[in-house]
Amino acid sequence: MTPANLILRGIPASPGIVIGRARVISDTGEVQNSFRLVYTEEERLAELERFRLAVEQAEEDLLRVKEEVSQEFPEHVHLFELQLMILKDQMFHKDTLRLIKENNLNAEWALYQSFEKVKNLFSRIQDPYIRGRVQDVDAVYRRLLGNLSGWAPQRYLSSSEPIIIVARDLSPAETTQMASSRVLGFVTERGTKTSHTAILAQSLEIPAVVGLDNATRQIANGTNLILDGLTGRVVLEPGDRLLTTYQTRKQEFETFKSEVGRSSELPAITLDQFATQVLANLELPEEVQLALKYGADGVGLYRTEFIYLRQRQLPTEEELFEDYRRVVVAMQPKPVTIRTLDLGGDKFLSHLEYAPEMNPALGLRAIRFCLREQGIFRTQLKAILRASAYGRVRVMFPLISSVREVWEGRELLQSVQEELTKEGHPFDPQLPVGVMIEVPAAVTLAPLLAREADFFSIGTNDLIQYALAIDRGNKQVADMYQPLHPAVLRMITLAVEAARQAGIPIAMCGEMAGDYLYVPILLGLGLNELSMNAMAIPVIKHVIRRLTLREVREMTLQVLEMPTVEEINDFVFGQMQQRFPEIYRFGSALVGTS
Amino acid sequence: MIVRQHHLEHVEKELWVENRLGIHARPAMKIATTARQYDAEINLEKDGAQADARDLLAILTLDCPQGTRLVLKARGPEAREAVQALSRLFASKFEEI
C-alpha cells in the first residue's frame, strides 16, 4: 500500500495539472527473449504463423491509431505510416521470416536478431537526424514482441476511465497516440525537457513529468496521482487537503492559460494606449508557422546560420533566396528582420582554413568574418535583397564594433544591388539596414552608429556577456550573468537615447526580451520592439496589455537609481509578484522550451 | 540516361539529394512507395553500397544527407517509367526544402 501524500519529483516537461489513476506500462523491450530452436517442420510452421499473427495484429492496431490521430492531428499521421511501412519492411520482416525458416529459430529470437541487425546499421549512420529514426524501428520491434508474448498490444487506448501513464520511456509515436485517447498525462523515467517526446507533449498539450527515477517501480498500478507538469511534482495517494489545493491550482492555471491564449491575437498596447511590437525569433523557415500561430507582429530576428552548418558545401544564392522568400511571403505584410551570418571562422566550414581560436567569443566571427570572406557575404546579401521584392525585409549586421564596419557592409550591399539590377532581379532599394548593439564599443559609439543605421537591435545575450565579462557556460560564474545588472541597464539606456536622438527605432532580440519579468523595465527604458521565441509572445502581450506606460516609466526611474543588481531584482520581481501573481506563478510554464 | 536494350530494359540515372534534411523518414517512405508501383527491380547505389528502393530501412540506412550523389539502377518491363517517376521525386526535393 502506497503511503498517502508521497511526493516524487521529476523534470516538468509539459505544463498543466491532472488528477487520475496511474496506469503503469511495463516495458516490453525488457521481455525475456526466450531462445529456442525449432526442429520439426510443424514447429517451424507454427512459429511462422505466430509471427504472421503478431504482424497482422500490429498492423490492425497501427491502422486504427493512425485513423484516430488523423482526425485531430493530421500533422503527426506520418509517424504511424512510417511504422506501418517498417512493419512490412523487407530488411526487418523478410529477414525475420528467413531466420525462422532457415536457421530454425523461434519467432522472438528471429525478430530479435533482425532487429539487432537493423539497429547496427543505423548506429553507423553519420547524420544524427536520419540515425534517430531507429526509434521507430524500436517501437515496431517492441510492439511485435509484445504481441508475440501475448502482452496487451494496445497498451494505452483501452481505458474506459481517464488515466495517467507511468512508463520507463515513451516514443514520440506513443505520445502522439495519447492525444486521441483518454490519457490525462504521463510520467517517464527517461527524457529531458528538450527531448522529442517532451516537445511533442507540449504541442499536444498533454501535461508531463519526465526524468523521474524509478517511476515504474515507485508507483503501483491504480495509484491515485496528481501530476503537476508545472513543477515536476507527482503526488501519490493525495489526501483531501492536497487534492483541494491542487484542484484550485489547476483551475487557476487553466483560467490563466486561456486568458493568455486570447492575448496572442490582440495588439501589444498598454492600458494608456502606448503601442509596442512583439516579434518572433526564427531559426528555420518552417518556424514561421509558429510565429503566425502565436500572433507575432513580424520577425525580429531571423538567424541564418543553420543552412551553413547543416550541409557540407556552401549554400547557393538560390537556396538562400528560397528560404528567405518563404518566410517573407508567409509573414507579409509584417516585417522580417534578417540577421546576416553570425558564425566564427573556426567552427565554420571545414574547407575554409581557419585555425581553432583560443577565445572564439573575441575572435573572427559575425560581421568580421563576413567582411573577410566577402564572397560568402555577397551571396547572402544578394539572396536577402532578392527576397525583399516579396514583402517587408530588413537586414541587420551582428557584432558591429566600429562605424567602418557599417560603411563596409553598406558598400557591399550597394555593389550587390548594382549586380542585381544588371541581372534583372527586383529588390527593395530602400531596404532598411540595422546595426546590432552587442559589443560595449557599439554602445559607446551609439550616437555615431545611429547616423549610419536605419534601426538598432540590441542582442542581449552577447551584450551581457561582453559587458559583465561573464561566460554563461562557465558554472563558476554563471549566476553572475544578470540581465538587470545596473551596467547593462545603463548601456541599454545609452543605446535607446542615441536611437531616439537620431529618430530611428530600437529593438531588442536577445533572451531578455522574451522574459515576462523584464517587460515593465524594457518598456520603461523605451524599446520599440521586443523579439523572442514565438511561444513566449502570448505571455508577453498579456503582460504589456495590463501595464501603463506611466507606471513602467516610474518603475524604471526607480530602478536606474539602484546601485546593485540584487536590489533591482528584488524590486522588479517583488513588483511583478504583487501586480501579477498568476503570471509570476505560471508564466514560465507557457513560454515553451526554446 | 543510358538505355540498353536487352530482353529486359536496364536504365541508369544519376540523382542528387537536394533537400536540406536529406533522405530521412518521409523522403524514404516516398521513395519506397513510388518504387513499389512499378514492375522493375530498382536499386539505389551510393559509393558502391546498394539499397533496394522498395525497402524503407535499406534506403534510410544508406545514409544520404543533403548533397549525396546516388545512382539509380532499374531493370524490368517498367524500368524506364520507374526511373522517370523517381527522378521527378528527387527533383521535387521530396516536396521539402
Side-chain angles (χ1 to χ4, degrees), chain A residues 379-398:
Chain A
T379 304
Q380 182 177 34
L381 291 176
K382 276 180 91 171
I384 294 171
L385 274 164
R386 285 177 59 192
S388 73
Y390 294 84
R392 275 179 70 196
V393 177
R394 310 185 286 198
V395 65
M396 62 186 182
F397 301 139

Side-chain angles (χ1 to χ4, degrees), chain A residues 333-363:
Chain A
K334 296 169 177 171
V336 175
T337 316
I338 305 179
R339 178 180 72 185
T340 59
L341 197 51
D342 188 5
L343 279 178
D346 62 331
K347 61 180 160 189
F348 203 67
L349 313 129
S350 49
H351 60 264
L352 294 176
E353 284 173 15
Y354 287 105
E357 295 179 344
M358 285 292 288
N359 204 341
L362 306 181

Side-chain angles (χ1 to χ4, degrees), chain A residues 78 81-82 85-86 89-91 122 125-127 129-130 133 285-286 307 310-312 319 323 326, chain B residues 20-26 29 32-33 36 52 54-58 60-61 63-67 97:
Chain A
H78 76 277
E81 284 169 353
L82 176 65
M85 281 187 87
I86 292 172
D89 186 87
Q90 305 188 37
M91 242 183 178
F122 268 93
I125 295 178
Q126 299 201 339
D127 188 288
Y129 192 73
I130 299 175
R133 302 288 33 94
E286 293 84 338
I307 189 168
R310 180 64 180 72
Q311 56 189 39
R312 283 159 209 175
E319 287 177 285
D323 271 15
R326 254 182 82 192
Chain B
R20 173 180 298 172
L21 294 174
I23 301 188
H24 59 97
R26 265 188 270 196
M29 284 164 71
T33 313
R36 285 175 196 185
D52 184 334
R54 272 175 287 209
D55 190 338
L56 176 77
L57 296 176
L60 270 177
T61 51
D63 190 11
C64 304
Q66 186 179 39
I97 51 161

Side-chain angles (χ1 to χ4, degrees), chain A residues 135-404:
Chain A
Q135 276 189 37
D136 294 289
V137 187
D138 185 62
V140 172
Y141 167 67
R142 285 193 282 144
R143 185 181 282 276
L144 283 174
L145 208 55
N147 289 354
L148 280 173
S149 58
W151 292 37
Q154 26 179 314
R155 345 197 262 182
Y156 312 124
L157 300 172
S158 60
S159 173
S160 53
E161 57 166 344
I163 50 166
I164 295 174
I165 297 288
V166 180
R168 204 153 69 102
D169 202 5
L170 293 168
S171 71
E174 286 168 328
T175 309
T176 315
Q177 197 171 331
M178 285 182 201
S180 52
S181 70
R182 301 206 63 191
V183 173
L184 299 169
F186 67 83
V187 183
T188 61
E189 294 179 4
R190 296 194 192 153
T192 62
K193 224 183 157 91
T194 54
S195 58
H196 207 95
T197 298
I199 291 169
L200 210 50
Q202 288 166 22
S203 99
L204 301 172
E205 302 191 1
I206 304 169
V209 171
V210 301
L212 200 156
D213 290 339
N214 290 324
T216 57
R217 260 170 282 169
Q218 296 194 70
I219 304 171
N221 213 13
T223 309
N224 288 309
L225 292 183
I226 296 173
L227 180 151
D228 184 349
L230 295 160
T231 61
R233 287 199 189 91
V234 177
V235 187
L236 279 60
E237 296 299 350
D240 286 348
R241 200 181 49 82
L242 265 181
L243 266 178
T244 316
T245 310
Y246 271 95
Q247 264 151 0
T248 313
R249 195 173 147 81
K250 177 180 158 73
Q251 193 55 51
E252 286 167 352
F253 175 71
E254 278 160 14
T255 309
F256 174 68
K257 191 175 152 191
S258 72
E259 270 176 25
V260 167
R262 278 197 295 277
S263 296
S264 69
E265 289 311 313
L266 302 168
I269 296 178
T270 59
L271 293 169
D272 48 357
Q273 305 302 309
F274 174 76
T276 312
Q277 302 287 308
V278 180
L279 303 91
N281 294 348
L282 296 191
E283 179 128 26
L284 296 172
E286 293 84 338
E287 290 169 353
V288 74
Q289 296 312 326
L290 281 180
L292 292 168
K293 176 177 164 198
Y294 290 108
D297 295 318
V299 173
L301 167 63
Y302 178 5
R303 302 186 176 99
T304 56
E305 293 73 36
F306 186 76
I307 189 168
Y308 292 86
L309 296 171
R310 180 64 180 72
Q311 56 189 39
R312 283 159 209 175
Q313 68 279 44
L314 284 166
T316 62
E317 180 188 320
E318 281 310 309
E319 287 177 285
L320 295 173
F321 166 64
E322 268 310 313
D323 271 15
Y324 302 160
R325 191 180 61 92
R326 254 182 82 192
V327 173
V328 170
V329 168
M331 286 311 292
Q332 224 225 356
K334 296 169 177 171
V336 175
T337 316
I338 305 179
R339 178 180 72 185
T340 59
L341 197 51
D342 188 5
L343 279 178
D346 62 331
K347 61 180 160 189
F348 203 67
L349 313 129
S350 49
H351 60 264
L352 294 176
E353 284 173 15
Y354 287 105
E357 295 179 344
M358 285 292 288
N359 204 341
L362 306 181
L364 183 67
R365 48 171 287 216
I367 190 71
R368 303 168 184 178
F369 173 79
C370 288
L371 292 174
R372 183 82 63 90
E373 291 290 340
Q374 294 199 359
I376 295 176
F377 197 31
R378 290 178 75 97
T379 304
Q380 182 177 34
L381 291 176
K382 276 180 91 171
I384 294 171
L385 274 164
R386 285 177 59 192
S388 73
Y390 294 84
R392 275 179 70 196
V393 177
R394 310 185 286 198
V395 65
M396 62 186 182
F397 301 139
L399 212 77
I400 291 287
S401 59
S402 73
V403 171
R404 172 165 289 281

Side-chain angles (χ1 to χ4, degrees), chain A residues 407-475:
Chain A
W407 287 347
E408 288 182 22
R410 276 196 179 271
E411 264 167 41
L412 277 172
L413 204 58
Q414 184 60 42
S415 109
V416 164
Q417 290 192 3
E418 283 158 21
E419 232 175 280
L420 286 174
T421 310
K422 271 186 218 143
E423 291 168 15
H425 286 300
F427 59 87
D428 173 8
Q430 308 293 328
L431 179 81
V433 177
V435 164
M436 290 197 70
I437 306 289
E438 301 179 282
V439 182
V443 176
T444 50
L445 289 176
L448 301 177
L449 289 170
R451 292 187 206 154
E452 313 297 330
D454 298 311
F455 65 94
F456 277 168
S457 184
I458 305 179
T460 51
N461 299 11
D462 274 334
L463 184 62
I464 297 169
Q465 138 166 301
Y466 294 129
L468 303 180
I470 292 297
D471 173 5
R472 216 170 16 156
N474 180 341
K475 280 187 185 155

